[in-house]
Amino acid sequence: MKRFIIFIIILVIGGGAFVAYKTYFERGNISLWTLVPDNALAVYESTSPMNAWAAFTSSNIGKGLQSIAAFKRPGQMLSKLDTILGGNEQTATLFKDKTFLASLHSVGSQSLDFLLLVDLPTLDSRGKMDDILAYFSEKNGYTISNRTYQGYTISELRSQKTKDLFTFIYYKNFFIGSFTPFLVEDAVRNIETAGLGFFDKNIGLLTLSRLQNDQGNLYVNTDKLDRLGDTFINEKLLDLRTTASLGSSSFLDIKVTEPQLLMNGFTLIPQDYSGYFSGFENNPALSLKMEEVVSNRTAVYFNLTFESAERWNTQMIPYWQTNEPELVDLRSTTLKDQDIDIASFFESIGGHIGVSLQESSLGHDPDKVVYIEMEDLPESLQQFRELSERINKSQGDTLYYEEYADFTIGQLEIEEFPYQLFGEPFSGFSSLYYTGYRNYLIGAASVQILKTVIDDITNENTWGKSVQINSFLDNTLREANFSVFVHTPRAWNLWQQNLDDAWKQQFTDASSTLQSIDLMAIQWSFIEDKFYTSIMLQQTEKAAQKGAQKPLLADNAVTFAQPLISKPFVVRNHNDKTLETLVQDSTQMIYLLSANQEVLWLDSIKGKIISPVFQIDYYKNGKLQYLFSTPKYIYAIDRTGEYLPGFPVEFKGKTEIAYLNLVDYDKSKNYRYFFADTRGDLYISDKDGKVLEGWNPKEIKHPLASSPLHIRVRGQDFLVALQSNGIMRVFNRRAQPVAGFPVDFKAPVNNPVFAEAGSTNANSKLTTITDDGSIIQINLAGKVLQREQLYRPSAQSKFKLVPEASGNGYIFTRQDANRIAIVDQAGKVLFEKDYLSSGIASSQFYDFGGGRKLFIVIDPVQAFSYLYDEKGNLVNFRPAETMNEVAIIFYESQGLYKIYKNYENEFSILTLKK
């Protein structure tokens, strides 16, 4: 595209030549369509290309893409050409009502290029040619040469500066040109072999009805999509056998309607078609309805609907036999070994199945979640349980079942069971943990991922509750047999780690612009003998300027009589779901502020709050209370300011409470309070504050490095305590040491532990970092999995592990005097910053998904909080004034952050636009 001006000007030169020599040619039976080689991946057609370009660049999507140099240059070049032609939009006049084709071709293993074809039957102004030819003189850095190919004269224009070569030919009244010479040669060969071009092999596309007054038409050689995929990505991301069987060819009308780019048309299938869409033939689509269970963490979602699951399965078998024979063999073995009636199973399936790829961090494969609509969910769950019992009995294993948040989780030990049922893209399930919700069977490869999905459903963190996603879905094809939905920001790491190296840097450079087109949908629906096809791209946020700083806009502030000594604790109002804030001043008074910053109540408590403020559902009725600790008391207060019965509970230990954590083993709301005193002794009490047997206290005789925590693996509970002398202790619920513990790291540690639950003790991980920068990762069998020393510039370097605010990962920080480095999980330094003071700074980390990460460094000496993005760019004009940690909420539908902060005696909420 950066060389687009050459093509435009060549058209004008060649147009003049055509006028001069037109009398020597006859049109014959060759058409412009005939000249397009049959190996074209796609062809764009327009009779008003300049108007289409203008409509695109005036849209929000187009404006955003013009921040990329490749999209900016065509407009600059067209403006320059118009100036050469005399202004007054002469370029648009030149191309008006002229058929313009641009065909896309694979020209190398990682390279694409266009062949450009234009029908120029007349040229009104021969007089302008002298100006154009003068422009293409050697003084402007161009040379023109000719060569002969199969009896035809081909011209080549070369830039002396860039060495770019543009090859072109005029045949009769047709202009043909490309920056790849052999594409022009392919078109020349079509002159001699009429009937073998792209449209001759896809003649059905030209018979389809077209919209008028759109931005052109797109024709796709659908059975060659695997070649396009090969250019950009590897098969780890996408099984290219599937893309090559989505029909023979497609036609799409292109329409730009703010804030969307729409492409609608049809995909044709041959009479003997046995491709991936075979299962949908004469199997009508149903309305999408799985959004109520699809998590907002989803990066890519594949949705399949059909009138009959049994018919779909039967019609897919020929495709699988040809394209996925390993599936057929695996399924045959499983059905025989486990005595499964596959026909009966498909009869029990409703009209919807789907699989989602969850957002992943860079370098990690995405987790998958499968969704299956069942006609009778209780009956299906019972069948799964009976199948699990048979398998476990034959293997001598114990049947796994776990209750979690009113859900029952089971495990089916059949490798790749969803893949055996449904083929691609349902692979990636070494084992299947499953549960039921309404009429859906939901499964994941790990119990932790399934619990995350359960949490999202319970907390209404799903597509069905997202204003942004619902608005998008309302504009998509509601009844589609096969749909692919992409949340671009959340899928970004997935694309990046699977892109070919030749394209990775280009995508990285354009990341903010491409991620601004944040939602995409590609859908097919069977209609008669073809598939209606719809593609939609939607931009709900304008592309952010790279490194741009934005002002922090202050909302209403509340001034108190005394200085505030706590961070702002953001809590949820259970009545209307609004966010409220609890703060504490220097007189130990606590205040609950409404969403409008009005004081709802205040109360004097005994001591400073030293723990997080947890929200609990003490009565299991949906009404929430606040749980927190001071050095001598554990408090539980309801939203009206009333204490729960028996609270506050006085701590009667020999010292004071140092840490308090909330434990809910199975999300049943039978809470346990896990706390430690300043001496390191551990306590666990029930929800009423009564200390349990074995924990009154559990003496370990050395202070803790951080708050104790709980982790559950396959129904087994582990209570973790890391001491500041570097000894890691893990207990079961009866306060007995777990096998393999304690483990002595032989180095002081004053950092938290990040816990990752796996499917077994061996693959469940506990991660921390020693004070001198040694990352230690240990499993729940007591085996050290990793011990890696981070770069330590001096003996005074101090290291911290900073958990993400919602528990979604962690980072490290390294402080050397007044320099702070932010380090990712792999030990890579993301950025470093210098500050005026060398006081011990604290840090926070927020990851809102979709690449929306904020890193906060708090300078307690200057009382400033600095907010950075992942590149180390300061995201606001100046730091926020605060001496305590801040709280940040992101509103995805509005594209803005709300920053809750305390400074001296003032509480305020700041707004930062993304």
Side-chain angles (χ1 to χ4, degrees):
M1 226 176 266
K2 67 181 182 180
R3 305 162 295 184
F4 188 63
I5 185 67
I6 300 175
F7 158 67
I8 298 293
I9 298 177
I10 286 295
L11 288 180
V12 183
I13 296 175
F18 166 72
V19 171
Y21 295 103
K22 184 175 185 293
T23 56
Y24 293 95
F25 294 92
E26 296 179 357
R27 291 185 66 95
N29 294 322
I30 297 293
S31 73
L32 194 67
W33 310 92
T34 307
L35 300 175
V36 179
D38 69 335
N39 61 6
L41 303 176
V43 181
Y44 171 75
E45 174 200 21
S46 177
T47 56
S48 299
M50 298 302 103
N51 291 338
W53 176 255
F56 174 70
T57 55
S58 64
S59 69
N60 282 336
I61 289 179
K63 289 176 182 176
L65 288 175
Q66 285 188 87
S67 65
I68 304 173
F71 281 88
K72 185 184 296 182
R73 291 192 187 103
Q76 296 171 337
M77 294 172 178
L78 290 172
S79 177
K80 188 173 185 179
L81 177 59
D82 205 55
T83 300
I84 295 171
L85 291 173
N88 298 317
E89 300 183 350
Q90 291 297 310
T91 309
T93 303
L94 174 67
F95 287 102
K96 186 177 181 180
D97 298 326
K98 312 259 188 332
T99 301
F100 171 95
L101 301 179
S103 58
L104 179 66
H105 301 259
S106 174
V107 296
S109 59
Q110 287 86 38
S111 301
L112 301 170
D113 205 353
F114 289 93
L115 178 68
L116 308 166
L117 309 97
V118 183
D119 188 350
L120 291 174
T122 63
L123 186 64
D124 297 331
S125 180
R126 174 74 189 277
K128 295 177 181 176
M129 293 310 303
D130 292 338
D131 295 335
I132 299 297
L133 291 172
Y135 179 84
F136 272 96
S137 63
E138 288 195 13
K139 70 178 182 179
N140 281 331
Y142 296 94
T143 59
I144 300 178
S145 59
N146 298 314
R147 63 182 173 89
T148 301
Y149 179 76
Q150 293 191 359
Y152 294 89
T153 300
I154 293 178
S155 299
E156 295 181 329
L157 174 67
R158 186 182 299 274
S159 168
Q160 296 175 356
K161 182 177 181 181
T162 66
K163 305 304 180 182
D164 287 336
L165 178 68
F166 186 79
T167 303
F168 64 96
I169 183 175
Y170 265 86
Y171 173 70
K172 298 187 178 181
N173 56 301
F174 303 128
F175 169 86
I176 310 162
S178 177
F179 287 98
T180 299
F182 70 75
L183 293 182
V184 176
E185 295 170 4
D186 287 347
V188 169
R189 285 195 293 272
N190 272 15
I191 296 173
E192 299 299 326
T193 57
L196 297 179
F198 174 89
F199 287 100
D200 297 296
K201 291 190 175 182
N202 298 287
I203 193 67
L205 294 178
L206 300 179
T207 65
L208 298 173
S209 59
R210 294 160 173 73
L211 292 176
Q212 301 299 318
N213 302 318
D214 60 8
Q215 278 71 57
N217 306 311
L218 183 67
Y219 304 86
V220 181
N221 217 345
T222 313
D223 62 3
K224 289 185 170 60
L225 283 178
D226 57 332
R227 297 185 187 178
L228 183 62
D230 271 332
T231 302
F232 291 100
I233 59 179
N234 60 46
E235 291 196 25
K236 184 178 180 182
L237 173 64
L238 182 65
D239 190 330
L240 299 175
R241 296 173 300 181
T242 299
T243 62
S245 63
L246 300 181
S248 57
S249 54
S250 301
F251 160 74
L252 299 165
D253 275 307
I254 302 174
K255 188 76 173 176
V256 177
T257 59
E258 297 287 11
Q260 295 136 357
L261 174 64
L262 304 173
M263 289 179 272
N264 295 308
F266 290 93
T267 295
L268 304 183
I269 55 176
Q271 286 187 335
D272 57 348
Y273 178 66
S274 60
Y276 186 76
F277 287 158
S278 298
F280 302 116
E281 289 188 80
N282 301 306
N283 208 348
L286 306 178
S287 295
L288 176 71
K289 62 179 182 180
M290 280 195 172
E291 57 265 42
E292 65 178 323
V293 291
V294 177
S295 166
N296 279 334
R297 303 172 198 267
T298 298
V300 182
Y301 178 60
F302 299 88
N303 190 74
L304 289 70
T305 76
F306 29 66
E307 183 180 69
S308 167
E310 188 178 14
R311 189 186 316 149
W312 177 82
N313 174 61
T314 301
Q315 294 175 180
M316 285 296 292
I317 290 175
Y319 166 77
W320 287 328
Q321 290 172 333
T322 303
N323 295 277
E324 298 182 43
E326 65 277 12
L327 179 155
V328 177
D329 293 341
L330 190 59
R331 180 195 268 198
S332 177
T333 300
T334 298
L335 297 183
K336 180 180 178 181
D337 291 348
Q338 307 303 334
D339 191 25
I340 299 174
D341 184 349
I342 194 68
S344 176
F345 179 80
F346 273 93
E347 286 179 2
S348 70
I349 293 178
H352 299 77
I353 59 175
V355 62
S356 66
L357 281 66
Q358 305 298 87
E359 181 179 10
S360 62
S361 58
L362 197 60
H364 291 78
D365 292 335
D367 295 300
K368 287 187 174 182
V369 180
V370 63
Y371 307 87
I372 310 171
E373 183 186 32
M374 309 305 298
E375 295 288 356
D376 185 340
L377 181 63
E379 176 63 24
S380 297
L381 289 174
Q382 180 60 31
Q383 291 175 356
F384 265 58
R385 184 183 183 105
E386 291 171 357
L387 178 58
S388 297
E389 288 175 344
R390 292 202 304 270
I391 294 172
N392 286 36
K393 185 177 181 179
S394 67
Q395 297 176 349
D397 292 336
T398 303
L399 184 67
Y400 167 73
Y401 264 87
E402 180 179 352
E403 297 297 326
Y404 182 81
D406 297 327
F407 289 74
T408 300
I409 298 174
Q411 182 185 19
L412 187 60
E413 285 279 15
I414 298 179
E415 185 173 2
E416 295 289 5
F417 190 60
Y419 171 67
Q420 293 185 47
L421 294 175
F422 310 121
E424 289 293 356
F426 290 82
S427 63
F429 295 84
S430 56
S431 180
L432 184 68
Y433 291 88
Y434 64 90
T435 191
Y437 178 72
R438 295 187 177 170
N439 57 331
Y440 302 107
L441 190 149
I442 306 171
S446 81
V447 68
Q448 198 58 37
I449 294 302
L450 185 57
K451 287 181 178 180
T452 300
V453 173
I454 291 172
D455 289 342
D456 286 340
I457 292 172
T458 302
N459 297 325
E460 299 185 340
N461 184 33
T462 61
W463 278 14
K465 298 298 181 178
S466 167
V467 175
Q468 178 197 23
I469 298 292
N470 271 290
S471 175
F472 171 72
L473 293 177
D474 285 343
N475 290 291
T476 61
L477 187 62
R478 294 300 294 184
E479 294 184 359
N481 287 115
F482 186 74
S483 302
V484 183
F485 300 102
V486 180
H487 190 293
T488 310
R490 294 188 184 278
W492 190 253
N493 286 337
L494 179 62
W495 302 137
Q496 281 290 88
Q497 68 192 43
N498 289 283
L499 278 172
D500 188 273
D501 290 340
W503 291 93
K504 190 169 293 185
Q505 189 58 49
Q506 297 182 50
F507 274 66
T508 299
D509 293 342
S511 62
S512 62
T513 294
L514 294 175
Q515 290 185 64
S516 74
I517 306 171
D518 51 1
L519 292 167
M520 296 186 286
I522 309 174
Q523 300 175 279
W524 292 265
S525 184
F526 183 77
I527 298 177
E528 297 178 352
D529 58 348
K530 51 188 173 291
F531 282 87
Y532 183 78
T533 306
S534 176
I535 301 175
M536 187 172 83
L537 285 68
Q538 178 167 296
Q539 181 186 48
T540 57
E541 297 176 7
K542 293 185 179 179
Q545 188 176 357
K546 198 171 184 178
Q549 296 180 356
K550 305 171 187 67
L552 290 172
L553 306 176
D555 294 351
N556 293 336
V558 181
T559 301
F560 296 86
Q562 303 297 328
L564 298 174
I565 60 172
S566 73
K567 66 169 285 184
F569 299 101
V570 180
V571 293
R572 179 77 64 182
N573 180 332
H574 57 254
N575 293 319
D576 58 14
K577 307 302 182 182
T578 58
L579 296 178
E580 299 175 335
T581 313
L582 193 145
V583 297
Q584 184 179 27
D585 70 17
S586 60
T587 67
Q588 319 306 334
M589 191 74 72
I590 59 172
Y591 305 80
L592 182 66
L593 308 178
S594 72
N596 298 320
Q597 287 85 61
E598 298 175 350
V599 176
L600 298 176
W601 54 260
L602 66 160
D603 188 30
S604 178
I605 63 173
K606 298 176 182 179
K608 179 181 178 180
I609 297 175
I610 60 167
S611 72
V613 173
F614 301 98
Q615 286 194 270
I616 60 175
D617 185 357
Y618 183 88
Y619 295 107
K620 302 183 181 183
N621 60 1
K623 296 182 178 181
L624 303 179
Q625 301 82 36
Y626 314 121
L627 176 80
F628 58 87
S629 174
T630 66
K632 280 293 185 181
Y633 292 89
I634 296 175
Y635 285 83
I637 306 175
D638 70 18
R639 186 182 168 273
T640 66
E642 297 295 325
Y643 293 107
L644 296 189
F647 287 89
V649 175
E650 184 179 3
F651 175 64
K652 297 182 179 179
K654 297 177 181 178
T655 57
E656 294 182 335
I657 298 173
Y659 302 101
L660 169 71
N661 207 343
L662 178 67
V663 175
D664 187 357
Y665 292 124
D666 54 6
K667 295 292 182 179
S668 62
K669 302 176 183 176
N670 294 318
Y671 302 110
R672 298 291 184 263
Y673 310 143
F674 190 13
F675 55 102
D677 63 21
T678 55
R679 203 173 64 164
D681 292 342
L682 303 175
Y683 302 78
I684 295 181
S685 73
D686 63 16
K687 64 190 296 184
D688 297 314
K690 180 182 178 181
V691 178
L692 302 180
E693 183 180 353
W695 295 98
N696 192 19
K698 179 66 179 180
E699 295 186 357
I700 56 176
K701 299 179 180 179
H702 195 91
L704 268 58
S706 58
S707 182
L709 59 91
H710 163 257
I711 181 173
R712 169 171 274 210
V713 177
R714 292 179 62 86
Q716 185 178 359
D717 296 294
F718 299 85
L719 289 310
V720 181
L722 175 61
Q723 297 172 265
S724 61
N725 60 0
I727 296 177
M728 173 82 77
R729 299 182 185 273
V730 180
F731 303 95
N732 61 22
R733 289 169 66 168
R734 296 186 298 278
Q736 299 167 336
V738 170
F741 290 92
V743 175
D744 189 353
F745 299 151
K746 300 187 182 303
V749 181
N750 286 283
N751 279 299
V753 177
F754 183 80
E756 298 173 83
S759 56
T760 65
N761 293 3
N763 61 23
S764 299
K765 303 170 185 176
L766 302 172
T767 303
T768 190
I769 188 169
T770 62
D771 294 352
D772 61 3
S774 181
I775 301 174
I776 299 176
Q777 191 170 85
I778 188 171
N779 67 16
L780 287 177
K783 180 180 179 181
V784 176
L785 305 176
Q786 174 191 2
R787 184 156 190 159
E788 179 182 352
Q789 178 64 49
L790 292 181
Y791 171 61
R792 189 183 184 194
S794 72
Q796 287 71 44
S797 300
K798 298 297 182 184
F799 295 84
K800 291 291 182 183
L801 184 148
V802 182
E804 195 276 329
S806 63
N808 183 31
Y810 56 92
I811 59 168
F812 302 108
T813 64
R814 184 189 70 226
Q815 181 166 358
D816 297 280
N818 63 337
R819 167 162 286 204
I820 305 289
I822 304 298
V823 184
D824 68 13
Q825 293 182 24
K828 176 185 175 183
V829 175
L830 299 177
F831 59 88
E832 298 181 70
K833 297 292 178 180
D834 292 320
Y835 302 91
L836 293 177
S837 71
S838 58
I840 301 299
S842 61
S843 302
Q844 294 177 259
F845 171 39
Y846 282 84
D847 185 352
F848 297 101
R852 294 176 287 250
K853 296 181 180 180
L854 287 179
F855 303 84
I856 302 98
V857 175
I858 302 167
D859 183 340
V861 176
Q862 296 191 91
F864 283 154
S865 288
Y866 299 85
L867 280 68
Y868 301 100
D869 64 16
E870 198 168 12
K871 301 294 184 182
N873 300 309
L874 194 65
V875 299
N876 52 311
F877 284 129
R878 62 173 182 265
E881 291 181 313
T882 177
M883 295 185 67
N884 302 299
E885 290 186 350
V886 299
I888 304 178
I889 305 296
F890 178 65
Y891 293 86
E892 187 169 32
S893 62
Q894 302 172 53
L896 55 83
Y897 302 94
K898 292 285 188 178
I899 302 169
Y900 295 69
K901 75 178 190 74
N902 295 334
Y903 178 64
E904 294 183 343
N905 63 335
E906 182 181 271
F907 163 76
S908 61
I909 302 176
L910 307 180
T911 298
L912 175 66
K913 292 186 177 180
K914 182 179 180 298

